[in-house]
């Protein structure tokens, strides 16, 4: 590592205010924390939307909200939870932990990483800004065209959705390129692919899905934007537009997207179970291959979302069979998790509670998923609350349980404090009870015939009690996150200081101080086996390694902070907002778009010519 | 996304250990290209679905002229060869060779974009094929327009590198900067090699 004395980064670091430090940071840990904090706020907003929905449905013939506002609520609830909560909370873990788990000092492209963050935050704010104009998206998270075209969806509602999703897509794609490269190229010496922590494998496979599926939705969104703004007819049936085009393009993206939401969760649980069972992950390579197989099959099953469109027996059979096939690698994973627990000396800490909750809830969601794979059965269930029950069991029971497990597991590493165990377990039980009370009755109310996305229902159809139960459950579920928030505040104020390795971990992040210093590893680690930290402990004959010292970091090269990622993100947002505001059918871009384009281009040039090397500030 | 690859002053090659025998920026460009394949695959499929949707207004046989597009194709093909020669010059530290071939590449890019601007103008004003005339038009202009935008971005990028090369800022140790741009340029070229037969020739031969 070259050391050129007193470079830019070092000399100015002391003068920077805290705000400027966070706005210009390229440190993957700070970026991860910002991902997590903003995503948690969006998660709470999405949860609030769900509570209003449940209050509206609490009893028959309720008129708490107008039908149109109800449409906005369920559209934004779905869009928020998928794109602004689960994906970026996963991204928090990618950012903070992938470099630590592979023994790197940062990601491959730190400034690009910052750009992903800012584009995500701006896109999320932009989407939610629509509420202030009373024009939140109202066409469902899937935005089916032509229903979402200007003819059937006038007003700016769906413009916000079309533009917002394009913005968020760019953030995901940039992060996809970054993390794929980071994982392949920044691993510590000796960390072969088959020695990588299983979470890193999950991230790698997830990025492949992002990289190959997001371009498809991007094109679909561009078509829809052109239809809405420039007067084309890609989805206009009267002008020979294909009524199936949107559905195909959307679900070619949409099905891989569900694995983008669940594979990181698989990875987190696969890290937690071995640590709290005190034995290595059962069937590591089977876990890796099953993830790859799930991802591969995930691109060949999209039309199982379209059985009701009448594709014909051949297509129905193909997509039915392909979908059922996915149950096999998924089953492999579940058996391996159970195999990991089998015979282990289980340490019943909060992360394990949530991980076990994940397995149980995910199995239930998986089972109703296999039912949907049967095309004739799906015709009965499609667009009913049975489907709502199914995907909440996999997305909440699966993803959110696992992400929460990850939060309790990695909190001490991120913030140097251990979350309270008692409150954590209370959080778990309230969440488990609230979750099942909310979503289990939806199976029944769905099979009784209650359709999705209706804002009210008449009394006497047998829906009343079940809906009331769901609403009570939803408030219980919401309150579990109040416990979590209280836990966070309490820990912040007076939590126990966490050691470097509070759980007897197996992976590299536990070998460095909590929280890590800016350069992560004072000495770049060398890896000779899977679960490297357990190997070290075995070799030293100890249960806990001595607490690693905090060092000065003098002479360690780190990327310098930069304004350009933020500026490029603002320019890009301005460019797309300009298209939305223009709204006339004349083709050339309006002045706002041109200004945004100019800012973006200028930012990219300054970025490209900016020196990247700085120094670690001494602490 | 292209910003990553535009990272002209990232770490010097060899200064950092990489797990794979490929510099990170080059790997990132390959990954980006993989993603772009899906982008263009979607655009091309849509065109194939919609090329016969021209009940109103002109269709492919009424507007497409082969000679001009063939010239554009040839120019783009040659430019891929030129950029390889330029890269060779950069790697050998032969500044004259680098400048000569790189300027030829940039010229090809400018010519191609110019050809497309002329083609679009010609279609709109003389053949009366507006952007929203029919679905054939919309899907054609969208596909080739996005490809043309990629060519324009590549031309701008290569022109920037030409400026760098002029100032002597691309020594052999920094040839990677050009190599990544060349990789992108080849990809844009390959996409056109698919568009040319699928969009022009096959639509005419039906
Ligand atoms: Cu699916």
């Amino acid at each position: 590592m070259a050391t050129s004395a007193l470079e830019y980064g070092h000399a100015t670091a002391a003068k920077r205010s805290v705000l400027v430090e966070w706005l210009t940071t390229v440190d993957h840990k700070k970026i991860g924390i910002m991902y997590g904090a903003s995503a948690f706020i969006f998660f709470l907003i999405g949860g609030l939307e769900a509570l209003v929905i449940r209050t509206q449905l609490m009893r028959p013939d309720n008129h708490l909200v107008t039908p149109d506002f109800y449409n906005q609520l369920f559209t934004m609830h779905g869009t928020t939870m998928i794109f602004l909560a689960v994906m970026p909370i996963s991204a928090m873990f990618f950012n903070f932990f992938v470099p630590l788990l592979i023994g790197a000092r940062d990601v491959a492209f730190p400034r690009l990483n910052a750009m992903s963050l800012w584009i995500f935050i701006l896109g999320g704010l932009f989407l939610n800004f629509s509420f202030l104009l009373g024009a939140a998206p109202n066409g469902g998270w899937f935005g089916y065209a032509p229903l979402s075209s200007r003819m059937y969806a006038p007003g700016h509602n769906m413009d916000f959705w079309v533009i917002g999703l394009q913005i968020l897509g760019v953030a995901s794609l940039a992060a996809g390129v970054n993390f794929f490269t980071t994982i392949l190229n920044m691993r510590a010496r000796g960390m072969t692919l088959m020695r990588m922590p299983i979470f890193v494998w999950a991230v790698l496979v997830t990025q492949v899905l992002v990289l190959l599926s997001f371009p498809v939705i991007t094109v679909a969104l561009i078509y829809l934007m052109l239809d809405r703004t420039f007067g084309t007819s890609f989805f206009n049936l009267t002008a020979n537009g294909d009524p199936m085009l949107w559905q195909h393009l959307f679900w070619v993206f949409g099905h891989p997207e569900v694995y983008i939401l669940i594979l990181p969760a698989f990875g987190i649980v696969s890290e937690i179970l071995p640590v709290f069972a005190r034995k290595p992950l059962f069937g590591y390579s089977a876990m890796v291959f099953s993830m790859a197989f799930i991802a591969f099959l995930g691109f060949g099953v999209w039309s199982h979302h379209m059985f009701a469109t009448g594709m014909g027996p051949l297509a129905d059979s193909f997509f039915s069979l392909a979908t059922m096939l996915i149950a096999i690698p998924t089953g492999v994973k579940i058996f391996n998790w159970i195999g990991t627990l089998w015979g282990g000396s289980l340490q019943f800490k909060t992360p394990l509670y949530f991980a076990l909750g994940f397995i149980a809830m995910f199995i239930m969601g998986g089972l109703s998923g296999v039912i949907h794979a049967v095309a004739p059965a799906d015709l009965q269930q499609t667009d009913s609350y049975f489907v709502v029950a199914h995907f909440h069991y996999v997305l909440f029971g699966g993803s959110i349980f696992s992400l929460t497990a990850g939060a309790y597991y990695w909190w001490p590493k991120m913030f140097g404090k251990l979350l309270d165990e008692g409150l954590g377990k209370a959080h778990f039980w309230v969440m488990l009870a609230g979750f099942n009370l909310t979503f289990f009755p939806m199976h029944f109310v769905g099979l009784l015939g209650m359709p999705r996305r209706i804002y009210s229902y008449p009394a006497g159809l047998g829906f009343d009690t079940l809906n009331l139960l769901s609403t009570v459950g939803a408030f219980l579920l919401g309150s579990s996150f109040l416990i979590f928030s209280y836990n966070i505040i309490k820990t912040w104020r007076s939590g126990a200081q966490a050691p470097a390795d509070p759980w007897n971990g197996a992976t590299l992040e536990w070998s460095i101080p909590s929280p890590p210093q800016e350069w992560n590893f004072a000495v770049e680690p060398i890896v000779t086996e899977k679960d490297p930290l357990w190997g070290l402990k075995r070799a030293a004959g100890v249960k806990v390694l001595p607490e690693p010292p905090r060092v000065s970091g003098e002479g360690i090269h780190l990327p310098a902070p930069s304004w350009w990622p933020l500026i490029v993100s603002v320019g890009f947002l301005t460019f797309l907002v300009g298209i939305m505001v223009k709204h006339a059918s004349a083709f050339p871009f309006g002045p706002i778009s041109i200004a945004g384009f100019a800012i973006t281009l200028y930012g990219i040039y300054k970025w490209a010519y900016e020196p990247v090397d700085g120094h670690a500030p001494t602490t | 996304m292209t910003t990553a690859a535009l990272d002209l002053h990232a770490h010097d090659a060899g200064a950092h250990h990489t797990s794979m025998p490929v510099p990170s920026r080059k790997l990132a460009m390959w990954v980006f290209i993989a993603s772009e394949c899906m982008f263009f695959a979607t655009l091309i499929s849509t065109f194939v679905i919609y090329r016969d949707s021209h009940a109103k207004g002109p269709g492919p046989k009424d507007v497409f002229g082969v000679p001009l597009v063939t010239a554009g194709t040839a120019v783009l093909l040659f430019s891929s060869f030129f950029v390889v020669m330029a890269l060779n010059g950069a790697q050998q530290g032969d500044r004259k060779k680098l400048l000569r071939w790189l300027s030829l590449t940039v010229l090809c890019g400018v010519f191609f974009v110019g050809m497309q601007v002329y083609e679009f103008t010609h279609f709109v004003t003389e053949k009366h094929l507006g952007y929203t005339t029919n679905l054939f038009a919309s899907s054609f202009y969208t596909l080739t327009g996005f490809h043309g935008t990629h060519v324009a971005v590549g031309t701008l990028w290569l022109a920037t590198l030409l400026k760098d090369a002029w100032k002597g800022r691309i020594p052999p140790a920094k040839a990677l900067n050009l190599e990544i741009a060349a990789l992108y340029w080849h990809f844009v070229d390959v996409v056109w090699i698919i568009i040319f037969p699928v969009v022009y020739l096959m639509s005419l031969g039906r």
Side-chain angles (χ1 to χ4, degrees), chain A residues 70-134:
Chain A
Y70 186 83
N71 289 352
Q72 299 183 21
L73 284 172
F74 75 67
T75 301
M76 281 303 284
H77 170 70
T79 306
T80 300
M81 288 310 196
I82 289 166
F83 296 101
L84 304 180
V86 173
M87 281 181 76
I89 292 175
S90 302
M92 165 182 81
F93 291 122
F94 301 173
N95 269 280
F96 206 103
F97 288 102
V98 164
L100 297 184
L101 285 164
I102 62 174
R105 287 199 173 133
D106 210 316
V107 295
F109 306 104
R111 289 178 297 170
L112 187 67
N113 202 25
M115 189 193 81
S116 293
L117 168 79
W118 294 120
I119 292 187
F120 151 67
I121 290 182
L122 290 172
L125 291 175
F126 172 76
L127 263 172
N128 280 287
F129 175 72
S130 60
F131 273 118
L132 300 183
L133 300 185

Side-chain angles (χ1 to χ4, degrees), chain A residues 109 111 173 180-181 184-185 187 189 211-212 215 223 226 230-234 239 241-242 249 604-605 608-609, chain B residues 3 6-9 17-20 22 24-25 28 31 35 38-39 42-43 46 50 131-132 135 142 160 164:
Chain A
F109 306 104
R111 289 178 297 170
L173 281 167
F180 190 93
T181 311
L184 282 191
N185 237 5
R187 281 167 287 141
R189 280 168 220 275
L211 289 163
L212 299 182
Y223 289 154
L226 292 169
F230 293 121
T232 55
S233 334
F234 286 102
D242 188 326
L249 294 182
I604 288 174
Y605 266 84
Y609 285 103
Chain B
T3 48
L6 264 170
D7 222 355
L8 302 175
H9 287 263
H17 143 85
T18 60
S19 321
M20 312 275 283
V22 52
S24 289
R25 287 190 293 146
V31 176
S35 187
M38 292 301 285
F39 183 81
T42 312
L43 287 168
T46 311
Y50 280 152
Y131 185 54
T132 56
L135 274 169
T142 308
T160 311
D164 279 3

Side-chain angles (χ1 to χ4, degrees), chain A residues 273 277 279 336-346 352 356 359:
Chain A
L273 292 178
K279 62 199 268 280
N336 281 349
W337 288 323
I338 296 171
T340 306
L341 293 166
W342 192 265
S345 62
L346 301 184
L352 184 64
L356 295 177
I359 298 178

Side-chain angles (χ1 to χ4, degrees), chain A residues 515-537:
Chain A
Q517 292 179 278
E518 207 181 325
W519 46 87
N520 301 348
F521 298 91
V523 180
E524 289 182 7
I526 294 173
V527 174
T528 53
E529 58 187 321
K530 258 187 325 231
D531 299 331
L533 216 54
W534 279 354
L536 271 180
K537 290 170 190 168

Side-chain angles (χ1 to χ4, degrees), chain B residues 168-180:
Chain B
R169 285 204 206 125
I170 307 188
K174 289 202 168 169
L176 183 64
N177 288 346
L178 179 57
E179 194 178 345
I180 291 162

Side-chain angles (χ1 to χ4, degrees), chain A residues 255 258 301 304-305:
Chain A
H255 191 83
V258 306
V301 299
H304 63 208
H305 296 269

